[in-house]
Amino acid sequence: MKTAKFAIGQVVRHRLFPFRGIIFDVDPQFANTDEWYEAIPADVRPRKDQPFYHLLAENSETEYIAYVSEQNLLEDQSGEPVRHPQIKEMFDKKPDGRYEPKRQSKH
């Protein structure tokens, strides 16, 4: 199994489509439905044998959750903050611009 190239809290952008986001979960290899996978046009359909990432994603119009293959992600080096409304629930923003996962309180 391949080691994930990107980390939780990292800001990434899609290689082909105009969106970016913060990684909040990693699947070491494809773990979505076959229906979802088959809905992707064959000419841009990613391999299943790689890490896939859940993103708090945004484009110029809206915010949403995205599920993206590693081969289709690049590090976002814009330095721009991500505006997704769920960020504050999951991450603390550090002075240097990084997003750090919030600590879970244990009962």
Side-chain angles (χ1 to χ4, degrees):
M1 194 175 309
K2 186 177 175 191
T3 302
K5 176 179 177 180
F6 302 105
I8 291 175
Q10 188 170 0
V11 179
V12 292
R13 63 183 176 87
H14 198 280
R15 183 175 64 85
L16 302 172
F17 302 111
F19 72 87
R20 60 196 286 269
I22 301 171
I23 295 169
F24 71 89
D25 189 38
V26 181
D27 286 338
Q29 100 181 32
F30 181 79
N32 208 329
T33 66
D34 288 333
E35 291 81 16
W36 181 91
Y37 187 76
E38 294 299 325
I40 300 169
D43 60 329
V44 294
R45 191 176 298 148
R47 298 180 330 274
K48 288 184 175 181
D49 65 341
Q50 63 182 312
F52 277 70
Y53 300 83
H54 296 269
L55 308 179
L56 297 176
E58 67 180 24
N59 61 27
S60 62
E61 300 170 6
T62 192
E63 299 84 32
Y64 53 97
I65 302 294
Y67 188 68
V68 186
S69 66
E70 186 169 276
Q71 78 186 59
N72 284 324
L73 290 177
L74 300 168
E75 183 177 358
D76 182 280
Q77 298 181 342
S78 70
E80 295 292 319
V82 178
R83 68 178 187 271
H84 197 286
Q86 290 178 276
I87 291 171
K88 290 182 180 179
E89 296 172 27
M90 302 171 118
F91 295 98
D92 291 320
K93 188 165 183 191
K94 298 301 178 184
D96 65 2
R98 290 180 306 116
Y99 293 90
E100 185 173 279
K102 287 187 180 273
R103 294 185 181 254
Q104 299 288 325
S105 61
K106 305 218 183 210
H107 298 276

